[in-house]
Amino acid sequence: MSSAISRSLRLRSIYSSITAQWRLNNLSFHGLPENSRHFPSDFCIDDRYRKTPAFAAINFKFLCTTATGNATNQSNTNATATGTSASGWSEGDSGNSNDGKSSGGPHGKPVRSGPVSWMSFFLLFCTGAGLVYYYDREKKRHIEGIDSASNAVKQGPSVGKAAIGGPFNLIDHNGKAVTDNNFVGKWNMIYFGFTHCPDICPDELQKLAAAIDRIKEKSGMEVVPVFISVDPERDTVEQVREYVKEFHPKLIGLTGSPDEIKKAARAYRVYYMKTEEEGSDYLVDHSIVMYLMDPNMQFVKFFGKNVDADSLADGVIQEIKQHKMVKA
């Protein structure tokens, strides 16, 4: 009887050993790392028959499943909850499977920080603020440079006198033929206009007459005012004579033929042209400039429309004094 029981146990042990060996060779490890799949050669070997009992295969499969769950969920509590002595070995293999990895997500994937962090946002903000400050500073400096350049008075090198003035042959308001030589030896202020001018010419001639008187009062210098017509078709000698009487007793009016007027205007760089012509009623557009000529009838300086009578008088006096100092 005992021999039969012993034989039955031996056959069952052999069968269980063969079955366990087959299960070990065909066991699915559910993604367990390669270093955890090897079954120890001396794990749970029966001391009597030197065979692996059936319960060893079951326990090892359980351990593999537990190790996979630990590798996936990253929880040590699941490993300790198995309540077996082999759970410690399973936890060791689970730790090996996670070597070289940091923290994992719910599916075992590493958690990465987002593309924008607080530090990168702070650096981006500082860079943008620096660029805005630099652009604003450069813009202000550029504007200040333009303002300073426009306000600065630059004294250029003297390249000689302007090519203004020249010979002319005209007729004065008394009907006498005159040339530029008739004005040599005196300081002269020459203005080009026409007697039918509605407003600008009368204003400029009044300013010229007032400046001539103030120059005489302030410095005792005499300057001859000269009016040259740019409308020879209507400005006859009689028309010019009646016109100049209205402004100053020393004002000399000149007129002449269209060709002679054109030559004189060209010599003094004066522009003039008829506008709004309706029969005999028309206006003449022309330059609004007064020319200061020295006693040799050489150009000294011009004065524009924006100069008032006092500034004109002071400017003429200053130019005459400087001219005399240079000649001395």
Side-chain angles (χ1 to χ4, degrees):
M1 184 65 178
S2 61
S3 62
I5 293 173
S6 176
R7 189 182 303 112
S8 178
L9 291 173
R10 187 174 183 181
L11 290 175
R12 184 176 296 178
S13 177
I14 294 172
Y15 175 77
S16 299
S17 177
I18 294 173
T19 303
Q21 189 66 34
W22 181 84
R23 288 180 178 179
L24 288 174
N25 294 332
N26 296 275
L27 184 62
S28 176
F29 291 89
H30 306 289
L32 193 67
E34 293 295 332
N35 57 3
S36 300
R37 295 188 182 189
H38 302 290
F39 184 78
S41 60
D42 57 348
F43 181 74
C44 296
I45 300 298
D46 185 75
D47 293 336
R48 181 177 179 181
Y49 301 104
R50 305 301 297 170
K51 298 296 184 177
T52 305
F55 76 88
I58 297 173
N59 287 340
F60 189 74
K61 183 177 181 181
F62 175 76
L63 292 175
C64 294
T65 305
T66 305
T68 305
N70 291 336
T72 306
N73 298 320
Q74 288 295 305
S75 175
N76 293 329
T77 58
N78 293 335
T80 58
T82 57
T84 61
S85 60
S87 62
W89 178 80
S90 175
E91 291 176 3
D93 286 344
S94 176
N96 293 333
S97 65
N98 291 328
D99 290 345
K101 297 182 180 179
S102 60
S103 61
H107 300 288
K109 297 181 180 179
V111 178
R112 298 180 180 178
S113 61
V116 179
S117 63
W118 284 107
M119 180 58 68
S120 60
F121 179 78
F122 176 74
L123 293 176
L124 180 62
F125 176 78
C126 292
T127 303
L131 290 176
V132 172
Y133 173 76
Y134 174 79
Y135 173 78
D136 186 65
R137 186 183 65 178
E138 291 296 320
K139 182 178 179 181
K140 289 181 179 179
R141 186 172 65 177
H142 181 67
I143 294 175
E144 290 176 357
I146 294 176
D147 292 339
S148 61
S150 61
N151 294 331
V153 178
K154 298 181 179 180
Q155 183 65 35
S158 178
V159 293
K161 295 181 179 180
I164 296 177
F168 56 80
N169 291 279
L170 299 173
I171 302 173
D172 65 8
H173 61 272
N174 294 320
K176 180 181 177 182
V178 295
T179 65
D180 55 297
N181 293 325
N182 293 97
F183 299 92
V184 173
K186 300 177 182 179
W187 286 90
N188 300 275
M189 286 288 293
I190 300 178
Y191 175 78
F192 287 78
F194 63 108
T195 60
H196 290 78
C197 181
D199 48 13
I200 296 178
C201 292
D203 293 342
E204 292 298 299
L205 289 176
Q206 288 177 359
K207 180 174 66 177
L208 175 60
I212 294 299
D213 292 337
R214 292 174 186 176
I215 293 171
K216 178 68 174 179
E217 294 173 359
K218 290 182 178 181
S219 63
M221 303 175 186
E222 292 189 3
V223 178
V224 179
V226 180
F227 169 77
I228 300 179
S229 173
V230 293
D231 185 15
E233 296 177 0
R234 292 183 300 183
D235 288 346
T236 61
V237 173
E238 292 78 8
Q239 180 70 25
V240 173
R241 181 170 58 247
E242 296 299 325
Y243 186 72
V244 296
K245 288 181 180 179
E246 298 178 2
F247 299 101
H248 199 277
K250 293 184 177 180
L251 178 61
I252 298 176
L254 302 178
T255 186
S257 66
D259 291 339
E260 293 298 332
I261 294 295
K262 184 182 297 185
K263 290 179 182 179
R266 184 178 301 173
Y268 284 85
R269 305 294 187 267
V270 172
Y271 159 82
Y272 70 97
M273 182 179 67
K274 290 182 180 180
T275 60
E276 301 180 7
E277 183 172 0
E278 295 181 2
S280 59
D281 188 12
Y282 59 87
L283 298 176
V284 179
D285 187 18
H286 61 88
S287 303
I288 307 173
V289 182
M290 296 181 186
Y291 299 99
L292 176 62
M293 311 299 290
D294 68 8
N296 295 321
M297 286 298 288
Q298 300 293 319
F299 171 76
V300 177
K301 189 176 182 178
F302 69 88
F303 299 89
K305 180 177 180 294
N306 296 328
V307 180
D308 58 16
D310 290 332
S311 299
L312 177 60
D314 294 339
V316 171
I317 293 173
Q318 182 179 2
E319 291 296 330
I320 293 176
K321 288 181 178 181
Q322 290 180 355
H323 183 79
K324 290 182 176 180
M325 291 177 61
V326 172
K327 291 295 183 179

